[in-house]
């Protein structure tokens, strides 16, 4: 099975290393500058060097599966990079945060099979070419709704992930799962990015950071229900169970970006919540404040982990 991966950050390198170790025919798709860097330097994942094969410039060989693991601001560039390798029936797995990437990819590639997916419980951290994690969590994926018998696209992806030793499952209601992950990201990613804080700050009941996180997440629940997606207290409780198992000293991807002075995904988190709030006349003051703070922080000097 020919598999292409675009995005070799913490998530891409984490899952990509599993595929490479399992012998999957995996190639990384990158612009010329990044491609040269990947050929020169190995990615080090949990202390092990991985030399990811890079797709040659001009190679138009169709991929059977394409894994998109970039940040949302880089999605348009990723679409351009993978376009020559998308054929009829190519399965696309988006590991992006937010609730919109699959829709964008499906519009760009109507000939492909774009599945819905979320990653849960991954705590990978990247510094330069070094990636470390205590948990890769699991990938939950599928069509919008899934019955007992999987579609051909779902079965193909399930086989790839099983072969790679990646924990994965198919959910009956993937729209609900997509919004559940959105709830997670809007809360913990944004508050951790503002504070420059690791998961530890959120793992103690009644901790101020935890309360701020939950306040932002309750606004997601409100707009989700207005959109016809049934989120509620059980979804918050399910997230808190996952949160308790994450490495306390590890940082969310958004906190890593904020600490490094990189652009964050605030537009697809707080920005999207506020947009939906205006649409449904629902107040979203917590996310509006987070949006303002994170926009301001984008122009601030980089910090180091643990520095506020």
């Amino acid at each position: 099975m020919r598999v292409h991966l675009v995005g070799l950050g913490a998530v891409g390198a984490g899952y990509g290393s599993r595929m490479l170790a399992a012998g999957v025919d995996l190639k990384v798709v990158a612009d010329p500058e990044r491609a040269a860097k990947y050929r020169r330097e190995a990615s080090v994942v949990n202390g092990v060097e991985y030399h990811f094969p890079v797709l040659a410039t001009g190679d138009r060989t169709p991929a059977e599966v394409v894994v998109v693991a970039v940040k949302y601001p880089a999605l348009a560039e990723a679409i351009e990079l993978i376009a020559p390798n998308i054929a009829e029936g190519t399965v696309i797995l988006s590991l992006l945060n937010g609730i919109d990437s699959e829709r964008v990819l499906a519009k760009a590639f109507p000939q492909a099979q774009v599945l819905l997916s979320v990653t849960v419980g991954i705590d990978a951290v990247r510094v330069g070419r070094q990636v470390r994690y205590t948990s890769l969590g699991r990938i939950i994926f599928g069509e919008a709704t899934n019955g007992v018998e999987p579609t051909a696209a779902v079965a193909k992806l399930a086989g790839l992930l099983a072969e790679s030793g990646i924990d994965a499952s198919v959910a009956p209601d993937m729209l609900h799962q997509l919004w559940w992950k959105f709830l997670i990201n809007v809360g913990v990613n944004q508050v951790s990015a503002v504070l420059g804080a690791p998961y530890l700050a959120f793992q103690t009941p009644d901790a101020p950071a935890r309360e701020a996180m939950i306040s932002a997440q309750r606004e997601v629940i409100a707009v989700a229900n207005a959109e016809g997606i049934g989120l509620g207290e059980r979804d918050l409780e399910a997230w808190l169970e996952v949160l308790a198992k994450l490495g306390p000293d590890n940082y969310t991807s958004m906190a890593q970006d904020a600490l490094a002075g990189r652009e964050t995904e605030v537009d697809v988190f707080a920005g999207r919540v506020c947009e939906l709030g205006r649409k449904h006349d629902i107040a979203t003051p917590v996310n509006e404040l987070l949006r303002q703070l994170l926009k301001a922080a984008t122009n601030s000097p980089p910090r180091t982990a643990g520095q506020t």
Side-chain angles (χ1 to χ4, degrees):
M1 189 184 300
R2 293 182 302 278
V3 180
H4 292 173
L5 167 66
V6 57
L8 206 53
V11 172
Y15 288 122
S17 65
R18 286 283 183 90
M19 294 182 187
L20 209 61
V24 171
D25 180 11
L26 175 71
K27 289 185 173 60
V28 172
V29 184
D31 61 65
E33 182 179 350
R34 286 192 181 91
K37 179 172 67 175
Y38 296 157
R39 290 187 178 102
R40 288 194 311 269
E41 305 174 35
S43 293
V44 181
V45 182
N46 280 359
V48 179
E49 288 192 354
Y50 292 89
H51 295 271
F52 285 93
V54 179
L55 190 70
T57 302
D59 188 335
R60 304 182 68 86
T61 305
E64 293 178 67
V65 175
V66 173
V67 180
V68 183
V70 298
K71 295 294 179 66
Y72 200 93
L75 179 57
E77 179 187 3
I79 286 173
E80 288 186 24
L81 289 171
I82 63 178
N85 309 110
I86 304 296
E88 190 72 31
T90 295
V91 177
I92 299 179
L93 173 68
S94 170
L95 300 180
L96 275 71
N97 290 321
I99 53 176
D100 297 310
S101 67
E102 288 89 350
R103 174 181 54 79
V104 174
L105 286 161
K107 183 178 180 181
F109 304 117
Q111 74 275 34
Q113 299 291 317
V114 182
L115 298 177
L116 301 180
S117 69
V118 298
T119 59
V120 179
I122 181 171
D123 60 5
V125 175
R126 176 177 68 87
V127 179
R129 305 299 312 138
Q130 303 267 343
V131 173
R132 61 178 175 83
Y133 63 84
T134 58
S135 171
L136 273 183
R138 69 184 186 278
I139 296 175
I140 306 173
F141 69 98
E143 309 286 356
T145 58
N146 298 277
V148 175
E149 291 297 324
T151 64
V154 170
K156 178 180 287 188
L157 185 57
L160 169 65
L161 297 175
E163 176 187 351
S164 305
I166 295 171
D167 187 13
S169 62
V170 177
D173 185 349
M174 271 307 304
L175 284 175
H176 183 275
Q177 291 291 329
L178 200 67
W179 275 83
W180 179 61
K181 180 61 184 295
F182 185 55
L183 173 145
I184 293 171
N185 290 146
V186 166
V188 72
N189 279 31
Q190 294 193 123
V191 177
S192 68
V194 168
L195 298 177
Y199 288 112
L200 178 63
F202 302 87
Q203 290 173 324
T204 303
D206 301 323
R210 186 183 180 109
E211 293 300 316
M213 172 190 76
I214 291 174
S215 295
Q217 291 171 330
R218 291 197 188 283
E219 293 181 354
V220 176
I221 290 173
V223 298
N225 281 279
E227 287 283 299
I229 306 295
L231 291 183
E233 290 302 310
R234 287 180 299 176
D235 296 293
L236 270 178
E237 291 167 6
W239 155 238
L240 294 177
E241 290 174 5
V242 172
L243 175 63
K245 300 174 184 176
L246 298 177
D249 296 327
N250 286 348
Y251 290 74
T252 68
S253 59
M254 197 167 183
Q256 295 175 54
D257 289 337
L259 288 166
R262 296 189 292 261
E263 183 179 5
T264 70
E265 295 177 302
V266 63
D267 289 332
V268 297
F269 294 158
R272 194 75 166 94
V273 174
C274 294
E275 176 188 340
L276 291 168
R278 291 189 294 272
K279 174 183 175 183
H280 296 289
D281 196 23
I282 294 171
T284 56
V286 178
N287 277 282
E288 180 57 37
L289 177 59
L290 289 171
R291 187 189 69 81
Q292 293 171 358
L293 291 172
L294 288 163
K295 285 289 189 180
T298 300
N299 299 317
S300 300
R303 295 173 282 168
T304 57
Q307 176 184 349
T308 58

